Each structure stands twice: as structure tokens, then as C-alpha cells.
Amino acid sequence: MARIAVIGAGMGAMAAAARLAVAGHRVTVYERTETYGGAVRRRERDGFAFDTGPGLLPLPAVWRDLFLKTGKEPLEACVELTQVDPSARHVFADGTEVSLPNASRAGVVAALDEALGSGAGDRWGDFLVRAREAWDRTRRPLLEEPLWPDWPVLAEREPYPSVPHKKLLRTRRAGTLAEVGAWELREPRLIALLESHALAYGLDPRVAPASAAVLPYMEHAFGAWYVRGGIRELARAVHERCLARRVEFVFGAEVTGLLEKDGRAAGVELAGGTVAEADFVVAGVAPGALPDMPPRTTGEVPPRHGLPSRLTVLLALRGPRPQGTPHRTVVHTADREGELEAVFGAGLPGPGAWHPTVTVLRPDDPRLVPDSGHEAATLTATVPASASPQSCADQAEAMITAAERAIPDLRSRLLRHEPYTPADIAEATGAQGGAIPPPALAAAGGRLLHPSNSTALPGLFAVGGWSHPGGGLPHAGMSGALVSGLIVEGPDFRGSQ
């Protein structure tokens, strides 16, 4: 039985802790804040409750596997999962609306044809077929296996089988997601639909590789799921599973350094000078949060800088949620180029707001409201990391204005609104500026790969969204599985079978 120190109580770190404890190790988690979950937090006030991190769960099989491997109670015995249907309602800039069924290719094709005109559905359906091929080519190396030293193969090879495009007597294939939209979808609203998936993950479609096609495919193939009570309930269930497996949590414990002995990790140093010895250390921290974090074994992977953040506006509304209201509505901007420049352009925008793409979540969940005469909703948009308080305030107003296209009586029903800003995310996660890591993607010279779980210091491993396989709830859960496998089975561990 080894002593294992885990730095941070984020979702990936807790997933690793539970698996390692089941394998017979003595695991202690040191978390600098007073609670678990990392970015998966909740705000409560006057009987209203809101998720401040992700609001929906893609690919729940990752967390089902965790609960299966760490105890007799399955995930569904610990939380209530419901599939969101329709998956999303989209409100486009020209006023066109379409509701897309959950995990139904035929239903999506029919809905797009009806809303956008004959042929639109087939173009999107053909795109999903190609996106599936990219998913099949990259699922295992990017999600289920550690990042091996031959990672440049993933960096150089574009897995998306783009359609040849003739331009100026030359035949080209799409190298970016924006080119996939322009050359293969060729319809402004379909392009907006495609690019909104990248934007929701904090990716600029103008430079994101064509392999980002796996993001809409992942939702299409595996559906969008809601956890009753909010995604915070998933964090609670994982925390309780850790406690049931005798993982010890020490909250309010900031790790300030690593112990080394005989050339390997030997424990952690805590603020105040306390030392906790360990045989292995698992670090679930953002870049810069641990100054002496050594390079990863795949140290040539380019470091991740300049990632955007997320602004969430929490809405307390008088009046009940109307029957038949979609759980999720995406309100598309009328100025996509302006939005992309504001979020991804050089420097931070000054005072004043741009026209955002806003995701409106309206759960049908009595646990989130004081009574049946009220509704709790959230608005989310991608914003620059380190956005100023004034910029966030301006943008929150712009988001409410945009959301009126989804909730026409929003202003008259609004009891109050509260922005959850990049500064709040930074406080919860330790990520500079509140930056949010996207999932790993192939191609693009490795810019969207994440450093490996193994490090140059034997006995030290990295877990969570800032390490392979990247951000997002499924990827965080898989990072925990990979780190557990590397510790329990050793460096020859090849991933889940």
C-alpha cells in the first residue's frame, strides 16, 4: 500500500483518488479552498440554486465507468440523470429557429431541412459522418490512452476526412473548422451551428483544426444529459464515493511545493511549513499554481497560453417555467467576426459590450427554486480571461438583451441577476485569469494537445483539465483513469480496454 498525496479536489483529481483508493492505496487530497469540485460549483441564495460551471454532462459513460470500478453502487444510484430532449434550440441571427432532437441523426436532418430549407439537413448529416471518422481515429489516443512520446504523430496528422475543395485551379482540403463550414456546409446558419460548438469550448473556429468536428459529433452521438439538482450533484457523488473508499480530504490546505528524495517525488509542502510525505504525488493544478512543477515527459508539447474564460449570469425569475420550454437555447450573434475578435483578438476589449453568442439553460428542476412560482436560469458566453469587472458588467447586460430572444418576458420577470466572472473562476480553480482548458484535439502542430500525465520527476503525475486529455467533464474523468493506471500498473499501462 502506497501513500499518495493528491493536490486539488477537482473532478479529475477526485476520479484519480477514488480509483487509487480502491486499488489499496492510502490517499489524501489537499485542497486550498474549502470545498471540492474545482470549476464545478454552485451558488445558492433565497431558495435559488445555480450551477456556475458546466450545466450539462456529455459522454456520461466516463463517470458510469468510475462508479462501476470503485464500488457496487452505479452512477444512477447516486445521481439522477435525464437526457435533454431537444438537445438544443437554436435561434439564429435572422430569426430562424430550429430544435435539434437528442442523439437522432434522422431527426436532426429532418429538423434542419424544415427550418433551413431542403438540403441543409443532408449537408449536416454528411458532415456528421465525416466527424464520426475523425472521432474513431482519435478517440483512443486522445481520450483512453496516456500521451505517448510519439505524440507528434497526432500533431501532424489531420484525422478529419475533409471534402476536396477547388479554388483558383487548386484542390485544397479544410485545415480549420471555419474552412469546414465555409467549404462543406456552405450555409450561414449551419456554419453558425458548427462554430458555436467550438466557441462553447473556448476555441476560435478560425484557427481550431478541422478535427474539432469531434465536438459536435460527441454531443450528437452520446447525447446531452442533465443531473437533477445540477452538475454540482455529480461532484457531490464523486466526493462521497471517495469518502466511502476512505480517501482523506484536507480543505484549506494550500500546497506550496514538492518534496524530492533520491530523484523522485516524496511528498508535498503546505503553507505554514507543514510537510506531508508520500510515495506518489498527483497534481491537479492549473499552470503556474505550483511553481516547482517539473516538465512533463512529453515536454515538447507547446504550453497552453491565452485561453479564454466564461461569463455566467445567474437569473432569478418570478413566475413558473412555461411548460414545454427547451432546457437549452443557443442564441447566435449577428456579428460572429466581431465576437471572435473581441474574445480572441489581441489584447482585452475596453469598456462596452460586443454582441455575444449566449447559451440559455432553463432546467425543469424543482430543487433549484424556492417554489413552483419561480424559475432559475443561467446565461453563458465565452469571454477573454482576465476580463475587467466593468467589461463583465457590460457584457452581462448584453447577454440579458440577447437572451430576450429566447425568453421574451425576461426583463419583466427578472428579480435579480448575478454575474459569475472569470475572477470567480480563478478563485475557484487557481487558473490565471479564470482561463478554461478545452479538450485535446489532433493536428494543428500539437497546439491543442495537453502535456502528458507523467512528468520528468518520477513519482509525480498530473491530472485534470490542464493535462492530457484536456478540459471538459468527460476528459477530466478520463485523466483520473489514466493517472490511476500509470500508478497502479506502471509506465507500460496502455489505457482502458
Side-chain angles (χ1 to χ4, degrees), residues 328-348:
R328 173 172 54 172
T329 299
V330 180
V331 181
H332 293 265
T333 180
D335 182 13
R336 178 58 55 89
E337 196 63 30
E339 176 179 37
L340 296 179
E341 277 302 307
V343 176
F344 302 104
L348 294 176

Side-chain angles (χ1 to χ4, degrees), residues 255-276:
V255 174
T256 57
L258 299 170
L259 295 180
E260 293 186 35
K261 184 178 181 180
D262 300 328
R264 63 175 288 117
V268 296
E269 298 176 352
L270 304 176
T274 303
V275 169

Side-chain angles (χ1 to χ4, degrees), residues 170-492:
R170 296 178 59 191
T171 299
R172 300 178 58 189
R173 291 182 179 272
T176 67
L177 197 67
E179 289 175 340
V180 171
W183 298 353
E184 299 177 16
L185 298 178
R186 307 187 310 279
E187 208 285 343
R189 292 162 296 187
L190 289 181
I191 294 171
L193 173 60
L194 172 66
E195 294 187 351
S196 68
H197 286 273
L199 186 63
Y201 281 98
L203 296 171
D204 184 347
R206 300 171 300 182
V207 297
S211 64
V214 300
L215 300 177
Y217 173 76
M218 186 168 67
E219 180 175 305
H220 162 76
F222 306 107
W225 298 76
Y226 177 66
V227 180
R228 299 287 287 179
I231 294 291
R232 178 66 177 176
E233 285 297 292
L234 176 64
R236 174 199 57 76
V238 176
H239 176 245
E240 291 181 356
R241 177 55 55 92
C242 286
L243 294 177
R245 299 301 166 259
R246 299 186 179 180
V247 174
E248 181 183 358
F249 284 81
V250 184
F251 294 107
E254 182 179 3
V255 174
T256 57
L258 299 170
L259 295 180
E260 293 186 35
K261 184 178 181 180
D262 300 328
R264 63 175 288 117
V268 296
E269 298 176 352
L270 304 176
T274 303
V275 169
E277 295 183 349
D279 302 299
F280 295 94
V281 176
V282 176
V285 296
L290 197 60
D292 54 354
M293 186 76 176
R296 313 299 171 85
T297 55
T298 54
E300 295 180 21
V301 171
R304 308 302 309 279
H305 297 300
L307 293 173
S309 186
R310 181 187 299 121
L311 175 61
T312 301
V313 183
L314 317 177
L315 304 178
L317 304 176
R318 63 171 61 87
R321 177 184 185 270
Q323 188 173 4
T325 297
H327 188 114
R328 173 172 54 172
T329 299
V330 180
V331 181
H332 293 265
T333 180
D335 182 13
R336 178 58 55 89
E337 196 63 30
E339 176 179 37
L340 296 179
E341 277 302 307
V343 176
F344 302 104
L348 294 176
W354 62 93
H355 298 289
T357 295
V358 177
T359 298
V360 183
L361 295 183
R362 304 176 70 183
D364 182 11
D365 191 342
R367 302 184 197 182
L368 306 184
V369 291
D371 53 53
S372 60
H374 294 85
E375 181 182 0
T378 60
L379 315 178
T380 305
T382 300
V383 299
S386 301
S388 69
Q390 184 59 56
S391 176
C392 288
D394 292 338
Q395 195 59 22
E397 283 299 318
M399 290 166 66
I400 292 173
T401 298
E404 288 183 280
R405 295 166 61 196
I407 313 175
D409 56 353
L410 172 55
R411 296 279 184 182
S412 64
R413 295 180 58 200
L414 188 59
L415 290 171
R416 69 168 187 276
H417 75 276
E418 178 185 358
Y420 189 83
T421 69
D424 295 316
I425 295 173
E427 173 62 26
T429 66
Q432 185 174 5
I436 296 175
L441 295 173
R447 286 187 297 103
L448 289 167
L449 296 175
H450 292 262
S452 64
N453 307 106
S454 303
T455 73
L457 179 64
L460 174 66
F461 297 86
V463 74
W466 295 100
S467 60
H468 179 75
L473 284 170
H475 296 71
M478 283 306 303
S479 75
L482 296 177
V483 167
S484 173
L486 288 167
I487 292 176
V488 173
E489 300 186 28
D492 294 331

